Amino acid sequence: MGRKDACVAMAPVDQYRKQIGKQDYKKTKSALKMTRLKAEAKKSGPGIRDAFLVILAVLVFMLCVYAFFYLNLSTELDMDLDVD
């Protein structure tokens, strides 16, 4: 069985962990808040971009359908006028 006196000195790993923990506290609250906001923006960014691409694809499809019908109907009207 170990004695309480035997573990008076900290292990190097524990000292290292303690130093790293102190570094986090040195940051100001505003810096931590900005870091958190950047991380959240990065997570939500692709969702917005994907939604924009879907909407853009739907609009392009509707434009193609509109152009198809417009061109077909306009040529039929021109042919009807030429017959007279």
Coordinates of all heavy atoms in Angstrom, one line a residue:
M1 N 0.8 -1.2 0.0 CA 0.0 0.0 0.0 C 0.9 1.2 0.0 O 1.9 1.3 0.6 CB -0.9 0.0 1.2 CG -1.8 -1.1 1.3 SD -3.4 -0.3 1.2 CE -4.4 -1.7 1.2
G2 N 0.4 2.2 -0.7 CA 1.2 3.5 -0.8 C 0.9 4.4 0.3 O -0.1 4.4 1.0
R3 N 1.9 5.2 0.6 CA 1.7 6.2 1.6 C 1.3 7.5 1.0 O 1.5 7.8 -0.2 CB 3.1 6.5 2.3 CG 3.6 5.3 3.0 CD 4.9 5.7 3.7 NE 5.5 4.6 4.4 CZ 6.6 4.7 5.0 NH1 7.3 5.8 5.0 NH2 7.1 3.6 5.7
K4 N 0.7 8.4 1.8 CA 0.3 9.7 1.3 C 1.4 10.6 1.0 O 1.4 11.4 0.1 CB -0.6 10.4 2.4 CG -1.9 9.7 2.5 CD -2.8 10.5 3.6 CE -4.1 9.8 3.7 NZ -4.9 10.5 4.7
D5 N 2.6 10.4 1.6 CA 3.7 11.2 1.4 C 4.4 10.9 0.1 O 5.1 11.7 -0.5 CB 4.8 10.9 2.5 CG 4.3 11.1 3.9 OD1 3.1 11.5 4.0 OD2 5.0 10.9 4.8
A6 N 4.2 9.7 -0.5 CA 4.9 9.2 -1.6 C 4.5 10.0 -2.9 O 5.2 10.2 -3.8 CB 4.6 7.7 -1.9
C7 N 3.3 10.5 -2.9 CA 2.8 11.2 -4.2 C 2.7 12.7 -4.0 O 1.8 13.4 -4.5 CB 1.6 10.5 -4.7 SG 0.0 11.3 -4.5
V8 N 3.7 13.3 -3.3 CA 3.8 14.7 -3.0 C 4.1 15.5 -4.3 O 3.4 16.5 -4.6 CB 4.8 15.1 -1.9 CG1 5.0 16.6 -1.8 CG2 4.4 14.5 -0.6
A9 N 5.0 15.0 -5.1 CA 5.4 15.7 -6.3 C 4.4 15.3 -7.4 O 4.0 14.1 -7.5 CB 6.8 15.3 -6.7
M10 N 4.1 16.3 -8.3 CA 3.1 16.0 -9.4 C 3.8 15.3 -10.5 O 5.0 15.6 -10.8 CB 2.5 17.3 -9.9 CG 1.6 18.0 -9.0 SD 0.9 19.5 -9.8 CE -0.7 19.0 -10.1
A11 N 3.1 14.5 -11.2 CA 3.7 13.8 -12.3 C 3.8 14.9 -13.5 O 3.0 15.8 -13.5 CB 2.8 12.7 -12.8
P12 N 4.8 14.7 -14.4 CA 4.9 15.7 -15.4 C 3.7 15.8 -16.3 O 3.4 16.9 -16.8 CB 6.1 15.1 -16.3 CG 6.8 14.2 -15.4 CD 5.8 13.7 -14.4
V13 N 3.0 14.7 -16.5 CA 1.8 14.8 -17.3 C 0.7 15.7 -16.6 O 0.1 16.5 -17.3 CB 1.2 13.4 -17.6 CG1 -0.1 13.5 -18.3 CG2 2.2 12.6 -18.3
D14 N 0.6 15.6 -15.3 CA -0.4 16.4 -14.6 C 0.0 17.9 -14.6 O -0.9 18.7 -14.8 CB -0.5 15.9 -13.1 CG -1.1 14.5 -13.0 OD1 -1.9 14.2 -13.9 OD2 -0.8 13.8 -12.0
Q15 N 1.3 18.2 -14.5 CA 1.8 19.5 -14.6 C 1.4 20.1 -16.0 O 1.0 21.3 -16.1 CB 3.3 19.6 -14.4 CG 3.6 19.4 -12.9 CD 5.1 19.4 -12.8 OE1 5.9 19.4 -13.7 NE2 5.6 19.5 -11.5
Y16 N 1.7 19.3 -17.1 CA 1.4 19.8 -18.4 C -0.1 20.0 -18.6 O -0.5 21.1 -19.2 CB 1.8 18.7 -19.4 CG 1.6 19.0 -20.8 CD1 2.3 19.9 -21.5 CD2 0.6 18.3 -21.5 CE1 2.0 20.2 -22.9 CE2 0.3 18.6 -22.9 CZ 1.0 19.5 -23.5 OH 0.7 19.8 -24.8
R17 N -0.9 19.2 -18.1 CA -2.4 19.4 -18.2 C -2.8 20.6 -17.5 O -3.7 21.4 -17.9 CB -3.1 18.1 -17.7 CG -3.0 16.9 -18.5 CD -3.7 15.8 -17.9 NE -3.6 14.6 -18.8 CZ -3.7 13.3 -18.4 NH1 -4.1 13.1 -17.1 NH2 -3.6 12.3 -19.2
K18 N -2.2 20.9 -16.3 CA -2.6 22.0 -15.5 C -2.2 23.3 -16.3 O -2.9 24.3 -16.3 CB -1.9 22.0 -14.2 CG -2.3 23.0 -13.2 CD -1.7 22.8 -11.8 CE -2.2 23.8 -10.8 NZ -1.7 23.6 -9.5
Q19 N -1.0 23.3 -16.9 CA -0.6 24.5 -17.7 C -1.5 24.8 -18.9 O -1.9 25.9 -19.2 CB 0.8 24.3 -18.2 CG 1.9 24.4 -17.2 CD 3.3 24.0 -17.7 OE1 3.4 23.6 -18.9 NE2 4.3 24.2 -16.9
I20 N -1.9 23.7 -19.6 CA -2.9 23.9 -20.7 C -4.2 24.4 -20.2 O -4.8 25.3 -20.8 CB -3.1 22.5 -21.4 CG1 -1.8 22.2 -22.1 CG2 -4.2 22.6 -22.4 CD1 -1.8 20.8 -22.8
G21 N -4.7 23.9 -19.1 CA -5.9 24.4 -18.5 C -5.9 25.9 -18.2 O -6.8 26.6 -18.3
K22 N -4.7 26.3 -17.7 CA -4.6 27.8 -17.3 C -4.6 28.6 -18.5 O -5.0 29.8 -18.5 CB -3.3 28.0 -16.5 CG -3.3 27.5 -15.1 CD -2.0 27.7 -14.4 CE -2.0 27.2 -13.0 NZ -0.7 27.5 -12.3
Q23 N -4.1 28.1 -19.7 CA -4.0 28.9 -20.9 C -5.4 29.3 -21.4 O -5.7 30.3 -21.9 CB -3.3 28.2 -22.0 CG -1.8 28.1 -21.7 CD -1.1 27.3 -22.8 OE1 -1.7 26.8 -23.7 NE2 0.2 27.1 -22.6
D24 N -6.4 28.4 -21.2 CA -7.8 28.6 -21.6 C -8.4 29.8 -20.8 O -9.2 30.5 -21.3 CB -8.6 27.4 -21.4 CG -9.4 27.1 -22.7 OD1 -9.2 27.7 -23.7 OD2 -10.3 26.2 -22.6
Y25 N -8.0 29.9 -19.5 CA -8.6 30.9 -18.7 C -8.0 32.3 -19.0 O -8.6 33.3 -18.7 CB -8.4 30.6 -17.2 CG -9.1 29.5 -16.7 CD1 -8.5 28.3 -16.2 CD2 -10.5 29.5 -16.7 CE1 -9.3 27.2 -15.8 CE2 -11.3 28.4 -16.3 CZ -10.6 27.3 -15.8 OH -11.4 26.2 -15.3
K26 N -6.9 32.3 -19.7 CA -6.2 33.6 -20.0 C -7.0 34.3 -21.1 O -6.8 35.5 -21.3 CB -4.8 33.4 -20.4 CG -3.9 33.0 -19.3 CD -2.5 32.8 -19.7 CE -1.6 32.3 -18.6 NZ -0.2 32.0 -19.1
K27 N -7.7 33.6 -21.9 CA -8.5 34.2 -23.0 C -9.6 35.1 -22.4 O -10.2 34.7 -21.4 CB -9.1 33.2 -23.9 CG -8.0 32.4 -24.7 CD -8.7 31.3 -25.5 CE -7.7 30.5 -26.2 NZ -8.3 29.4 -27.0
T28 N -9.9 36.2 -23.1 CA -11.0 37.0 -22.6 C -12.3 36.4 -23.0 O -12.4 35.6 -23.9 CB -10.9 38.4 -23.2 OG1 -11.0 38.3 -24.6 CG2 -9.6 39.1 -22.8
K29 N -13.4 36.9 -22.4 CA -14.7 36.3 -22.7 C -15.1 36.7 -24.1 O -15.8 35.9 -24.8 CB -15.7 36.9 -21.7 CG -15.6 36.3 -20.3 CD -16.7 36.8 -19.4 CE -16.6 36.2 -18.1 NZ -17.7 36.6 -17.2
S30 N -14.7 37.9 -24.6 CA -15.1 38.3 -25.9 C -14.4 37.4 -27.0 O -15.0 37.0 -28.0 CB -14.8 39.7 -26.2 OG -13.4 40.0 -26.0
A31 N -13.2 37.0 -26.7 CA -12.4 36.2 -27.6 C -13.1 34.8 -27.7 O -13.2 34.2 -28.7 CB -11.0 36.1 -27.2
L32 N -13.4 34.3 -26.5 CA -14.1 32.9 -26.5 C -15.5 33.0 -27.2 O -15.8 32.0 -27.9 CB -14.3 32.5 -25.0 CG -13.0 32.1 -24.3 CD1 -13.3 31.9 -22.8 CD2 -12.4 30.9 -24.9
K33 N -16.2 34.1 -27.0 CA -17.5 34.2 -27.6 C -17.3 34.3 -29.2 O -18.1 33.7 -29.9 CB -18.2 35.5 -27.1 CG -19.6 35.7 -27.6 CD -20.2 36.9 -27.0 CE -21.6 37.1 -27.4 NZ -22.3 38.2 -26.8
M34 N -16.3 35.0 -29.6 CA -16.1 35.1 -31.1 C -15.7 33.8 -31.7 O -16.2 33.4 -32.8 CB -15.0 36.2 -31.4 CG -15.3 37.5 -30.9 SD -15.3 38.9 -32.1 CE -14.4 38.4 -33.5
T35 N -14.9 33.0 -30.9 CA -14.5 31.7 -31.4 C -15.7 30.8 -31.5 O -15.9 30.0 -32.5 CB -13.5 31.1 -30.4 OG1 -12.4 31.9 -30.3 CG2 -13.0 29.7 -31.0
R36 N -16.6 30.9 -30.5 CA -17.8 30.0 -30.5 C -18.8 30.4 -31.7 O -19.3 29.6 -32.3 CB -18.6 30.2 -29.2 CG -19.8 29.3 -29.1 CD -20.5 29.4 -27.7 NE -20.6 30.8 -27.2 CZ -21.6 31.6 -27.5 NH1 -22.6 31.2 -28.3 NH2 -21.7 32.8 -26.9
L37 N -18.9 31.7 -31.9 CA -19.7 32.2 -33.0 C -19.2 31.8 -34.4 O -20.0 31.4 -35.3 CB -19.9 33.7 -33.0 CG -20.7 34.3 -31.8 CD1 -20.7 35.8 -31.8 CD2 -22.2 33.8 -31.9
K38 N -17.9 31.8 -34.5 CA -17.3 31.3 -35.8 C -17.6 29.9 -36.0 O -17.9 29.4 -37.1 CB -15.8 31.6 -35.8 CG -15.4 33.0 -36.1 CD -13.8 33.1 -36.1 CE -13.4 34.5 -36.3 NZ -11.9 34.6 -36.4
A39 N -17.5 29.1 -34.9 CA -17.7 27.6 -35.1 C -19.2 27.4 -35.4 O -19.5 26.5 -36.3 CB -17.4 26.9 -33.8
E40 N -20.1 28.1 -34.8 CA -21.5 28.0 -35.1 C -21.8 28.4 -36.6 O -22.6 27.8 -37.2 CB -22.4 28.7 -34.1 CG -22.4 28.1 -32.8 CD -23.2 29.0 -31.8 OE1 -23.8 30.0 -32.2 OE2 -23.2 28.7 -30.6
A41 N -21.2 29.5 -37.0 CA -21.4 29.9 -38.4 C -20.9 28.9 -39.4 O -21.5 28.7 -40.4 CB -20.7 31.3 -38.6
K42 N -19.8 28.3 -39.1 CA -19.2 27.3 -40.0 C -20.1 26.1 -40.1 O -20.3 25.5 -41.1 CB -17.8 26.9 -39.5 CG -17.1 26.0 -40.5 CD -15.7 25.7 -39.9 CE -14.7 26.7 -40.3 NZ -13.3 26.3 -39.9
K43 N -20.8 25.7 -38.9 CA -21.7 24.6 -38.9 C -23.0 24.9 -39.7 O -23.5 24.1 -40.5 CB -22.1 24.2 -37.5 CG -21.0 23.5 -36.8 CD -21.5 23.2 -35.4 CE -20.4 22.6 -34.5 NZ -20.8 22.3 -33.2
S44 N -23.5 26.1 -39.6 CA -24.8 26.4 -40.2 C -24.6 26.9 -41.7 O -25.5 27.0 -42.4 CB -25.5 27.5 -39.4 OG -24.8 28.7 -39.4
G45 N -23.4 27.3 -42.0 CA -23.1 27.8 -43.4 C -23.5 26.9 -44.5 O -24.1 27.3 -45.5
P46 N -23.0 25.6 -44.5 CA -23.4 24.7 -45.6 C -24.9 24.5 -45.8 O -25.3 24.3 -46.9 CB -22.7 23.4 -45.2 CG -21.6 23.8 -44.3 CD -22.1 25.0 -43.6
G47 N -25.6 24.5 -44.7 CA -27.1 24.4 -44.9 C -27.7 25.5 -45.6 O -28.6 25.3 -46.5
I48 N -27.3 26.7 -45.4 CA -27.8 27.8 -46.2 C -27.4 27.7 -47.6 O -28.2 28.0 -48.5 CB -27.3 29.1 -45.5 CG1 -27.9 29.3 -44.1 CG2 -27.6 30.3 -46.4 CD1 -27.3 30.4 -43.3
R49 N -26.1 27.4 -47.9 CA -25.6 27.2 -49.2 C -26.4 26.2 -50.0 O -26.8 26.4 -51.2 CB -24.1 26.9 -49.2 CG -23.5 26.9 -50.6 CD -22.1 26.6 -50.6 NE -21.9 25.2 -50.1 CZ -20.8 24.8 -49.6 NH1 -19.8 25.5 -49.4 NH2 -20.7 23.5 -49.2
D50 N -26.7 25.0 -49.3 CA -27.4 24.0 -50.0 C -28.9 24.4 -50.3 O -29.4 24.1 -51.4 CB -27.5 22.7 -49.1 CG -26.1 22.1 -49.0 OD1 -25.3 22.3 -49.8 OD2 -26.0 21.3 -48.1
A51 N -29.5 25.1 -49.4 CA -30.8 25.6 -49.7 C -30.8 26.6 -50.9 O -31.7 26.6 -51.7 CB -31.4 26.3 -48.4
F52 N -29.8 27.5 -50.9 CA -29.7 28.4 -52.0 C -29.5 27.7 -53.3 O -30.1 28.1 -54.4 CB -28.5 29.4 -51.8 CG -28.3 30.3 -52.9 CD1 -29.1 31.4 -53.1 CD2 -27.2 30.1 -53.7 CE1 -28.9 32.3 -54.1 CE2 -27.0 31.0 -54.8 CZ -27.8 32.1 -55.0
L53 N -28.7 26.6 -53.4 CA -28.5 25.9 -54.6 C -29.8 25.2 -55.1 O -30.1 25.1 -56.3 CB -27.4 24.9 -54.4 CG -26.0 25.5 -54.3 CD1 -25.0 24.4 -54.0 CD2 -25.6 26.2 -55.6
V54 N -30.6 24.7 -54.1 CA -31.8 24.0 -54.5 C -32.8 25.0 -55.1 O -33.4 24.8 -56.1 CB -32.4 23.3 -53.3 CG1 -33.9 22.9 -53.5 CG2 -31.6 22.1 -52.9
I55 N -32.9 26.2 -54.5 CA -33.8 27.2 -55.0 C -33.4 27.7 -56.4 O -34.2 27.8 -57.3 CB -33.9 28.4 -54.0 CG1 -34.6 27.9 -52.7 CG2 -34.6 29.6 -54.6 CD1 -34.6 28.9 -51.6
L56 N -32.1 27.8 -56.5 CA -31.5 28.2 -57.8 C -31.8 27.2 -58.9 O -32.2 27.5 -60.0 CB -30.0 28.5 -57.7 CG -29.3 29.0 -59.0 CD1 -29.8 30.4 -59.3 CD2 -27.8 29.0 -58.8
A57 N -31.7 25.9 -58.6 CA -31.9 24.8 -59.5 C -33.4 24.8 -59.9 O -33.7 24.6 -61.1 CB -31.5 23.5 -58.9
V58 N -34.3 25.1 -59.0 CA -35.7 25.1 -59.3 C -36.0 26.3 -60.2 O -36.8 26.1 -61.2 CB -36.6 25.2 -58.0 CG1 -38.0 25.5 -58.3 CG2 -36.4 23.9 -57.2
L59 N -35.5 27.4 -60.0 CA -35.7 28.6 -60.8 C -35.1 28.4 -62.2 O -35.8 28.8 -63.2 CB -35.0 29.8 -60.2 CG -35.7 30.4 -58.9 CD1 -34.9 31.5 -58.3 CD2 -37.1 30.8 -59.2
V60 N -34.0 27.8 -62.3 CA -33.4 27.5 -63.7 C -34.3 26.5 -64.4 O -34.6 26.7 -65.6 CB -32.0 27.0 -63.6 CG1 -31.5 26.4 -64.9 CG2 -31.1 28.1 -63.1
F61 N -34.8 25.5 -63.7 CA -35.8 24.5 -64.4 C -37.0 25.2 -64.9 O -37.5 25.0 -66.0 CB -36.1 23.4 -63.4 CG -37.1 22.4 -63.9 CD1 -36.7 21.5 -64.9 CD2 -38.4 22.5 -63.5 CE1 -37.6 20.6 -65.4 CE2 -39.3 21.6 -64.0 CZ -38.9 20.6 -64.9
M62 N -37.6 26.1 -64.0 CA -38.8 26.8 -64.4 C -38.5 27.7 -65.6 O -39.4 27.9 -66.5 CB -39.4 27.6 -63.2 CG -40.0 26.8 -62.2 SD -40.5 27.7 -60.7 CE -41.6 28.8 -61.4
L63 N -37.4 28.4 -65.6 CA -37.0 29.2 -66.8 C -36.9 28.4 -68.0 O -37.3 28.9 -69.1 CB -35.7 29.9 -66.5 CG -35.2 30.9 -67.6 CD1 -36.1 32.1 -67.7 CD2 -33.7 31.3 -67.3
C64 N -36.3 27.2 -68.0 CA -36.2 26.4 -69.2 C -37.6 25.9 -69.7 O -37.8 25.9 -70.9 CB -35.3 25.1 -68.8 SG -33.6 25.5 -68.6
V65 N -38.5 25.6 -68.8 CA -39.8 25.2 -69.2 C -40.5 26.3 -69.8 O -41.2 26.2 -70.9 CB -40.6 24.6 -68.0 CG1 -42.1 24.4 -68.3 CG2 -40.0 23.3 -67.5
Y66 N -40.4 27.5 -69.2 CA -41.0 28.7 -69.8 C -40.5 29.0 -71.1 O -41.3 29.3 -72.1 CB -40.8 29.9 -68.8 CG -41.3 31.2 -69.3 CD1 -42.7 31.5 -69.2 CD2 -40.5 32.1 -69.9 CE1 -43.2 32.7 -69.7 CE2 -41.0 33.3 -70.4 CZ -42.4 33.6 -70.3 OH -42.9 34.7 -70.8
A67 N -39.2 29.0 -71.3 CA -38.6 29.2 -72.6 C -39.0 28.2 -73.6 O -39.3 28.6 -74.8 CB -37.0 29.2 -72.5
F68 N -39.1 27.0 -73.3 CA -39.6 25.9 -74.2 C -41.0 26.2 -74.7 O -41.2 26.2 -75.9 CB -39.5 24.6 -73.5 CG -40.1 23.4 -74.3 CD1 -39.4 22.9 -75.4 CD2 -41.3 22.9 -74.0 CE1 -39.9 21.9 -76.1 CE2 -41.9 21.9 -74.8 CZ -41.1 21.4 -75.9
F69 N -41.9 26.5 -73.8 CA -43.3 26.8 -74.2 C -43.4 28.1 -75.0 O -44.1 28.2 -75.9 CB -44.2 26.8 -73.0 CG -44.6 25.4 -72.5 CD1 -44.2 25.1 -71.2 CD2 -45.2 24.5 -73.3 CE1 -44.5 23.8 -70.7 CE2 -45.5 23.3 -72.9 CZ -45.2 22.9 -71.6
Y70 N -42.6 29.1 -74.6 CA -42.6 30.4 -75.3 C -42.2 30.2 -76.7 O -42.8 30.8 -77.7 CB -41.8 31.4 -74.5 CG -41.7 32.7 -75.2 CD1 -42.7 33.6 -75.2 CD2 -40.5 33.1 -76.0 CE1 -42.7 34.8 -75.8 CE2 -40.5 34.3 -76.7 CZ -41.5 35.2 -76.6 OH -41.5 36.4 -77.2
L71 N -41.1 29.5 -76.9 CA -40.6 29.3 -78.3 C -41.5 28.5 -79.1 O -41.7 28.8 -80.3 CB -39.2 28.7 -78.2 CG -38.1 29.6 -77.7 CD1 -36.8 28.8 -77.5 CD2 -37.9 30.9 -78.5
N72 N -42.1 27.5 -78.6 CA -43.1 26.6 -79.3 C -44.3 27.4 -79.7 O -44.8 27.3 -80.8 CB -43.4 25.4 -78.5 CG -42.4 24.3 -78.6 OD1 -41.5 24.3 -79.5 ND2 -42.4 23.4 -77.7
L73 N -44.9 28.1 -78.8 CA -46.1 28.9 -79.1 C -45.8 30.0 -80.1 O -46.7 30.3 -80.9 CB -46.7 29.4 -77.8 CG -47.3 28.3 -76.9 CD1 -47.8 29.0 -75.6 CD2 -48.4 27.6 -77.6
S74 N -44.7 30.7 -79.9 CA -44.4 31.8 -80.8 C -44.2 31.3 -82.3 O -44.6 32.0 -83.2 CB -43.2 32.6 -80.3 OG -42.1 31.8 -80.4
T75 N -43.6 30.2 -82.5 CA -43.4 29.7 -83.9 C -44.7 29.2 -84.4 O -45.0 29.3 -85.6 CB -42.4 28.5 -83.9 OG1 -42.8 27.5 -83.0 CG2 -41.0 29.0 -83.5
E76 N -45.6 28.6 -83.6 CA -46.9 28.2 -84.1 C -47.7 29.5 -84.6 O -48.4 29.4 -85.6 CB -47.7 27.4 -83.1 CG -47.2 26.0 -82.9 CD -47.9 25.3 -81.8 OE1 -49.0 25.8 -81.4 OE2 -47.5 24.2 -81.4
L77 N -47.7 30.5 -83.8 CA -48.4 31.8 -84.2 C -47.8 32.3 -85.5 O -48.6 32.8 -86.3 CB -48.3 32.8 -83.1 CG -49.1 32.4 -81.8 CD1 -48.8 33.5 -80.7 CD2 -50.6 32.3 -82.1
D78 N -46.5 32.3 -85.7 CA -45.9 32.8 -86.9 C -46.3 32.0 -88.1 O -46.6 32.5 -89.2 CB -44.4 32.8 -86.8 CG -43.9 33.9 -85.8 OD1 -44.7 34.8 -85.5 OD2 -42.7 33.7 -85.3
M79 N -46.5 30.7 -87.9 CA -46.9 29.8 -89.0 C -48.3 30.1 -89.4 O -48.7 30.0 -90.6 CB -46.7 28.3 -88.7 CG -45.2 27.9 -88.5 SD -45.1 26.3 -88.0 CE -45.1 25.4 -89.5
D80 N -49.2 30.4 -88.4 CA -50.6 30.7 -88.7 C -50.7 32.0 -89.5 O -51.5 32.1 -90.4 CB -51.4 30.8 -87.4 CG -51.6 29.4 -86.8 OD1 -51.4 28.4 -87.5 OD2 -51.9 29.4 -85.5
L81 N -49.8 33.0 -89.2 CA -49.9 34.2 -89.9 C -49.4 34.1 -91.4 O -49.9 34.8 -92.3 CB -49.1 35.3 -89.2 CG -49.6 35.7 -87.8 CD1 -48.6 36.7 -87.2 CD2 -51.0 36.4 -88.0
D82 N -48.5 33.2 -91.6 CA -47.9 33.0 -92.9 C -48.9 32.3 -93.9 O -48.8 32.5 -95.1 CB -46.6 32.2 -92.9 CG -45.5 33.0 -92.2 OD1 -45.6 34.2 -92.2 OD2 -44.5 32.3 -91.8
V83 N -49.8 31.6 -93.4 CA -50.8 30.8 -94.2 C -51.7 31.8 -94.9 O -52.1 31.6 -96.1 CB -51.5 29.8 -93.4 CG1 -52.7 29.2 -94.2 CG2 -50.6 28.8 -92.8
D84 N -52.0 32.9 -94.3 CA -53.0 33.8 -94.9 C -52.4 34.5 -96.0 O -52.0 34.9 -96.8 CB -53.5 34.9 -93.8 CG -54.4 34.2 -92.8 OD1 -55.0 33.2 -93.1 OD2 -54.5 34.8 -91.7

